[in-house]
Amino acid sequence: MPTQRFPIKKTLMLTIWIANDTRGKNSNKHFPSDFIHKPCKLAVMTDTYYLRIALPVPLRRQFDYLPLANTAASHYEVGSRVRVPFGRQQLIGFVLSIVTETDVPVDKLKSISESLDAKSLVSPHILELCQWLSSYYHHPLGEVLDLAIPVLLRKGGQINDIAEPHWRALSTESASSDAGSPINGKKQLALWQLFQQQPHWRHKDLTQQGFAKAQLDRLSSLGLIEPYQQLPVPHCGVALSLKTEQALTLNSEQASAVDKISKQLGKFHVALLDGVTGSGKTEVYLQLIAKTIEQGQQALVLVPEIGLTPQTLRRFQARFDVPVVMMHSNLNDKERLIAWHQCNQNQAKILIGTRSAIFTPLPSLGLIIIDEEHDGSFKQQDGLRYNARDFAIKRAHKESLPIVLGSATPALETLHNAYSHRYSHHKLTIRAGNAKPPKMKLHSILHQPLEFGLALPVVDKIKQHLNAGQQVMIFINRRGFAPTLACRDCGWMAECIRCDARMTMHQYPPHMHCHHCDNQVGIPRLCPNCNSLQIEALGQGTERIEENLHKLFPGSDIKRVDRDTVRTKDAFDNLFDEIHKGEPCILVGTQMLAKGHHFPDVTMVVILDADSGLFSADFRGMEKTAQLMLQVAGRAGRGEKPGEVWIQTLYADHPQLNLLLEGGYHGLAANLLQERKHIQLPPYSYMALLRTECSDKHLAEQVQNQAREFIQNWLNQYWQGNLLSLSEVQADTTPVTLIGPFPAPMERRNGRFRQQMQIMSHQRNSLHRVLDPLVHFLENLKGIQKIRWNLDIDPIDMS
Ligand code: ADP
Ligand code: ZN
Ligand code: ZN
């Protein structure tokens, strides 16, 4: 890797090096031509140069600017920030390269307004990865880079803005309360004693211990201490006086996984850790991380949005004597910058974070772990629609290190890669410790009486578990009181005025809520259609079940866990501490309950609305249902006591549901993969989804039709012109298939009509080759500003 500060001549070489390198390593991959700078004439050295800059604007191109007057090219590093005039605004962008030629007439070029960094802020690795993201997801590089750095830096802030006031001792004079000593008073003496134990203190830590600014100023005026500013450094668990936790003795499956994967340290390798819930995947991660740290390297652990609890952090801090930092959506901008800086400085050795933590610079990164790799929250659903798991694999490849994908229910894409030996496959089939796998049972409610939505044998079972002093979990993936409010007299149903969807009735506080656009209105007393008083809530959500459970099990402790009861991290934390006390209770909740939590005293799990996912329009519907069901089921019997799972269903003979119960996840997955192969859906093909939305239904449709026509023309032209490669011709006579345009499953959302078209191919290359000109076409299409459109690569949400 060339260093970044160099005279102009080397800069030119770097420009070319990036171009060649990207082409070389991705020779079989698509790479849009605008990222590859035209070879510059090295022999001609001139004093005139231009800065090629990526700006956070929705345009897929780069912008040339003049440097500040009288600055040499060596003043600018690739990856450093500059402020530039753009229209009437000032924007912050990144220097991508320094060039001697520009396509813009020189008199039209503007000069940058300010250079913000003396050194590059984005390392060459991260820059190249962002370029890859930009090309793979067909998203403007400037916006990708903008996402890659913390908000405060995005806004033009500096690292030093997060420096904190500290004090340091200047003298070693011992403290005494003797008459004549300049230090007087107990408090001052105590303060001075602290400085003798440890010469550096953060101002905040001292004030937290009850010392006042005046006391510090007094010691300072005596020349004993002095103030200074310092960037916060992360602390280890030991310094935080956490009890240290020893590594567990691994069972043979765990040991084999640790042994085999750790042999891959130092090189690129993708390992699937395919372990049933409770099989001790975390222990495998911890021991792999320990080996990484022993080698002086850093580890990055990505977890789903919901799984990042303070318990996770404590567990890591208690295990390692190196600083561990967290990055998640609850951090404020300053905390996020601090974590970013500590990772970038190699002070933090372990970073645990949600999706966007994947962008964090970690100069000595040695291992990446993706926990619950199948989880949908790794895919961003707006703006840059990237999948952090896939990006992490790319990063591991780029930085030559192993990546572990862990899950009890791996995504079919991942399983397919493991079955075809692209990933190594490590199975953990037994639960760690003494825990036994839960017994799962489909309970038919067809023609059966229900008591408040629960089958009678289920009610009896719950009683048994409660009487035995155990905890029961009832799962329904629907919050609120009831999903439908309807009139008995005329059949009217409460629908959202902005969406093709019903409004959910909530009781705490009472209101009607559209979960798709957030529209909220009061609960009508009369039917707005026929003025009847006979309006009724149909179906049930968590609130209603909670209410019913109080009637069914009077006096029992019932806790509801959903987004309405657990709004803050603290509330989450307190609730989990409560549950961990192990008192008998019924937990009723949404998928918030399902993911990753370890509740040793839950012995029974009831799944109430298994059926809703069975007939989904999404081709991933069954896969997602099975994953969620097994995650929920996995909460049962994780401790010493065995667990059982009851699934209430109208379709007890549903073949795939039975396959899941009899053959487990892998049995079902094999069946689903066969189905996908048969109809050539991912992972047997590659997909992009073009979405358009507009308040004018016709416009949303029209743009889709234009896109379709464009692709067809493009294919005809290239096909006839023989511009496709021989392998594409041999592999496939129709390199790209179009399905649609058709209305989205929910056609109208938030007042806009939505259309979509699936663009599919058997070869990733062929797909991306057509997407590039398509994006260009759409960007320049007349009237495109009137609609919203996006291109979703490897979409996982088809709604
Ligand atoms: P998973 O992530 O696979 O669902 P966890 O990592 O949460 O499972 O482990 C489940 C429980 O088993 C935890 O309480 C953990 O401490 C315990 N455990 C893991 N490995 C071992 C082991 N080798 N010996 C004993 N207990 C273990
Ligand atoms: Zn009515
Ligand atoms: Zn709505």
Side-chain angles (χ1 to χ4, degrees):
M1 177 63 56
T3 55
Q4 296 154 33
R5 186 175 277 281
F6 25 64
I8 176 100
K9 192 164 178 178
K10 284 194 189 155
T11 309
L12 294 177
M13 290 182 56
L14 175 76
T15 306
I16 293 163
W17 178 84
I18 290 177
N20 288 344
D21 177 67
T22 333
R23 264 202 168 143
K25 287 206 175 146
N26 295 297
S27 51
N28 58 345
K29 298 251 158 62
H30 133 96
F31 212 80
S33 53
D34 46 323
F35 291 121
I36 299 167
H37 310 299
K38 288 179 202 122
C40 304
K41 292 173 196 138
L42 269 182
V44 184
M45 290 303 297
T46 123
D47 289 341
T48 316
Y49 65 93
Y50 312 102
L51 302 176
R52 188 153 289 166
I53 292 165
L55 291 177
V57 292
L59 297 171
R60 288 159 179 81
R61 46 169 293 219
Q62 295 154 23
F63 301 87
D64 291 351
Y65 280 85
L66 292 167
L68 292 172
N70 302 323
T71 48
S74 59
H75 184 80
Y76 304 95
E77 282 198 359
V78 169
S80 64
R81 290 171 304 163
V82 287
R83 203 187 295 276
V84 302
F86 187 80
R88 286 201 212 140
Q89 327 166 49
Q90 288 280 324
L91 294 179
I92 292 172
F94 285 90
V95 176
L96 291 178
S97 57
I98 296 162
V99 294
T100 54
E101 286 175 5
T102 173
D103 293 339
V104 185
V106 174
D107 58 333
K108 290 253 160 53
L109 280 178
K110 290 184 190 161
S111 160
I112 67 163
S113 328
E114 192 186 354
S115 157
L116 290 168
D117 305 308
K119 283 194 162 301
S120 153
L121 198 66
V122 179
S123 70
H125 267 163
I126 300 283
L127 190 62
E128 281 177 52
L129 284 165
C130 287
Q131 283 177 322
W132 177 81
L133 271 177
S134 162
S135 73
Y136 187 78
Y137 290 102
H138 302 270
H139 198 81
L141 178 60
E143 290 193 346
V144 176
L145 284 166
D146 205 43
L147 197 80
I149 60 164
V151 174
L152 287 181
L153 297 179
R154 236 180 265 174
K155 291 184 184 156
Q158 296 291 349
I159 296 290
N160 281 336
D161 298 347
I162 54 172
E164 295 180 328
H166 281 66
W167 296 89
R168 70 176 143 235
L170 292 173
S171 147
T172 50
E173 186 181 312
S174 63
S176 86
S177 53
D178 295 352
S181 161
I183 304 169
N184 48 39
K186 261 196 198 154
K187 211 66 205 201
Q188 244 175 61
L189 193 64
L191 180 59
W192 179 234
Q193 275 166 347
L194 276 186
F195 277 98
Q196 286 175 318
Q197 285 161 20
Q198 184 193 306
H200 296 262
W201 284 91
R202 200 160 68 137
H203 181 81
K204 203 160 110 193
D205 293 337
L206 293 172
T207 49
Q208 264 168 11
Q209 292 189 41
F211 296 103
K213 175 83 170 36
Q215 287 148 358
L216 284 155
D217 286 343
R218 167 81 185 143
L219 291 192
S220 174
S221 70
L222 292 173
L224 295 172
I225 61 172
E226 69 173 2
Y228 67 103
Q229 293 280 323
Q230 193 191 301
L231 293 167
V233 284
H235 296 293
C236 322
V238 185
L240 299 168
S241 43
L242 280 176
K243 205 172 92 213
T244 49
E245 191 194 88
Q246 296 304 311
L248 300 173
T249 310
L250 299 176
N251 65 32
S252 62
E253 289 181 332
Q254 287 174 314
S256 156
V258 169
D259 184 50
K260 288 184 183 144
I261 300 172
S262 59
K263 290 207 172 82
Q264 304 297 330
L265 289 174
K267 48 187 179 232
F268 172 63
H269 179 85
V270 190
L272 168 61
L273 185 63
D274 182 351
V276 298
T277 48
S279 59
K281 292 185 286 294
T282 312
E283 190 60 33
V284 172
Y285 303 152
L286 290 170
Q287 301 210 11
L288 286 169
I289 293 171
K291 291 192 192 290
T292 308
I293 297 202
E294 270 165 30
Q295 301 192 358
Q297 293 183 307
Q298 294 168 292
L300 167 62
V301 183
L302 286 193
V303 297
E305 211 65 69
I306 211 146
L308 194 53
T309 58
Q311 287 102 310
T312 319
L313 178 66
R314 265 181 252 141
R315 186 153 177 211
F316 276 79
Q317 284 177 329
R319 181 63 73 86
F320 299 105
D321 56 0
V322 296
V324 183
V325 301
M326 286 236 263
M327 228 184 241
H328 53 75
S329 49
N330 270 25
L331 294 189
N332 63 34
D333 292 348
K334 194 172 166 193
E335 291 166 330
R336 188 168 273 271
L337 180 55
I338 291 172
W340 185 89
H341 169 76
Q342 291 171 343
C343 292
N344 191 23
Q345 292 301 306
N346 204 357
Q347 293 165 345
K349 295 295 175 186
I350 303 173
L351 169 63
I352 313 173
T354 49
R355 186 174 64 225
S356 65
I358 186 63
F359 287 102
T360 313
L362 294 144
S364 60
L365 184 60
L367 176 69
I368 303 179
I369 285 165
I370 315 283
D371 190 26
E372 310 290 1
E373 66 85 31
H374 65 278
D375 197 282
S377 72
F378 288 123
K379 170 103 181 177
Q380 179 151 307
Q381 299 294 5
D382 55 8
L384 171 63
R385 292 173 156 73
Y386 70 105
N387 186 323
R389 174 199 62 203
D390 299 345
F391 181 35
I393 295 174
K394 184 73 196 171
R395 182 166 182 182
H397 180 242
K398 176 104 218 131
E399 302 190 13
S400 298
L401 46 97
I403 173 166
V404 180
L405 311 180
S407 176
T409 53
L412 291 190
E413 278 84 353
T414 304
L415 266 186
H416 175 63
N417 280 326
Y419 291 156
S420 48
H421 306 290
R422 274 191 286 274
Y423 301 167
S424 65
H425 196 169
H426 310 266
K427 284 192 181 169
L428 307 181
T429 58
I430 46 168
R431 284 191 157 181
N434 291 327
K436 297 277 168 298
K439 273 199 234 106
M440 291 179 70
K441 180 178 164 50
L442 285 178
H443 183 78
S444 173
I445 50 169
L446 198 65
H447 309 305
Q448 296 299 311
L450 297 180
E451 204 172 353
F452 296 112
L454 293 178
L456 306 181
V458 173
V459 175
D460 286 344
K461 265 287 166 205
I462 295 177
K463 277 187 190 142
Q464 282 176 26
H465 282 263
L466 291 178
N467 290 341
Q470 290 154 356
Q471 298 178 340
V472 175
M473 184 183 282
I474 297 182
F475 173 79
I476 180 159
N477 213 6
R478 203 185 291 137
R479 63 199 171 91
F481 186 78
T484 307
L485 186 70
C487 171
R488 268 178 170 274
D489 284 337
C490 75
W492 165 89
M493 279 190 271
E495 283 178 350
C496 177
I497 50 163
R498 299 207 291 250
C499 307
D500 291 335
R502 293 188 201 141
M503 295 193 89
T504 301
M505 183 180 150
H506 283 250
Q507 235 167 24
Y508 307 103
H511 69 288
M512 302 297 295
H513 194 156
C514 172
H515 290 176
H516 304 283
C517 73
D518 229 21
N519 180 19
Q520 300 182 30
V521 294
I523 301 176
R525 289 180 193 284
L526 299 176
C527 169
N529 190 41
C530 73
N531 285 335
S532 160
L533 278 168
Q534 300 290 318
I535 48 177
E536 193 182 338
L538 301 179
Q540 44 186 358
T542 46
E543 286 180 3
R544 191 172 211 172
I545 293 172
E546 180 190 21
E547 192 178 293
N548 290 342
L549 289 170
H550 279 293
K551 294 178 196 153
L552 281 168
F553 306 101
S556 296
D557 182 11
I558 292 156
K559 298 182 203 297
R560 174 157 63 91
V561 186
D562 59 27
R563 241 197 299 155
D564 301 310
T565 57
V566 192
R567 287 181 188 277
T568 62
K569 270 260 176 277
D570 273 352
F572 204 67
D573 212 17
N574 291 343
L575 193 82
F576 284 90
D577 285 348
E578 275 286 301
I579 299 171
H580 277 279
K581 285 185 189 152
E583 297 297 317
C585 65
I586 306 180
L587 304 166
V588 46
T590 57
Q591 58 173 333
M592 230 180 193
L593 270 179
K595 298 198 175 166
H597 304 295
H598 186 64
F599 302 124
D601 300 292
V602 170
T603 50
M604 178 179 187
V605 167
V606 183
I607 300 178
L608 284 188
D609 67 341
D611 295 347
S612 59
L614 295 181
F615 305 100
S616 150
D618 181 348
F619 72 89
R620 286 196 179 81
M622 192 62 213
E623 177 188 355
K624 288 179 188 166
T625 303
Q627 287 167 342
L628 191 55
M629 279 173 57
L630 287 186
Q631 294 288 328
V632 182
R635 304 308 109 205
R638 286 169 70 97
E640 304 274 305
K641 295 160 253 174
E644 59 184 311
V645 180
W646 286 63
I647 302 167
Q648 274 197 192
T649 174
L650 282 170
Y651 308 97
D653 52 359
H654 189 285
Q656 289 179 326
L657 210 47
N658 281 283
L659 201 54
L660 177 65
L661 262 75
E662 284 153 22
Y665 184 73
H666 292 89
L668 174 66
N671 176 276
L672 293 175
L673 277 170
Q674 241 176 8
E675 213 175 75
R676 299 256 187 108
K677 189 170 185 181
H678 190 66
I679 39 181
Q680 291 295 301
L681 280 170
Y684 299 95
S685 63
Y686 301 94
M687 187 190 283
L689 193 67
L690 176 66
R691 295 197 185 88
T692 52
E693 350 180 323
C694 186
S695 53
D696 178 345
K697 184 174 174 174
H698 173 69
L699 270 184
E701 230 175 277
Q702 183 186 324
V703 170
Q704 289 279 2
N705 287 329
Q706 285 171 308
R708 189 184 167 100
E709 198 181 334
F710 174 83
I711 296 174
Q712 276 167 339
N713 287 341
W714 190 90
L715 286 171
N716 286 342
Q717 190 185 339
Y718 276 72
W719 191 247
Q720 282 160 12
N722 251 347
L723 290 178
L724 295 169
S725 71
L726 195 61
S727 71
E728 279 165 303
V729 177
Q730 283 165 346
D732 196 343
T733 44
T734 47
V736 173
T737 318
L738 302 176
I739 303 174
F742 46 74
M746 183 186 296
E747 183 176 6
R748 198 171 50 104
R749 189 160 76 191
N750 210 358
R752 284 188 290 270
F753 291 88
R754 305 155 71 234
Q755 288 274 326
Q756 48 182 244
M757 177 162 62
Q758 292 174 9
I759 309 167
M760 323 247 295
S761 176
H762 292 128
Q763 296 196 21
R764 226 190 258 281
N765 270 347
S766 315
L767 179 64
H768 285 271
R769 191 112 54 102
V770 69
L771 295 181
D772 247 345
L774 173 67
V775 164
H776 185 75
F777 167 76
L778 287 171
E779 231 175 35
N780 294 294
L781 191 66
K782 199 158 162 267
I784 191 77
Q785 303 81 343
K786 292 193 196 127
I787 73 152
R788 290 189 183 190
W789 65 276
N790 66 71
L791 189 64
D792 193 347
I793 310 297
D794 309 325
I796 57 163
D797 181 4
M798 315 289 287
S799 69

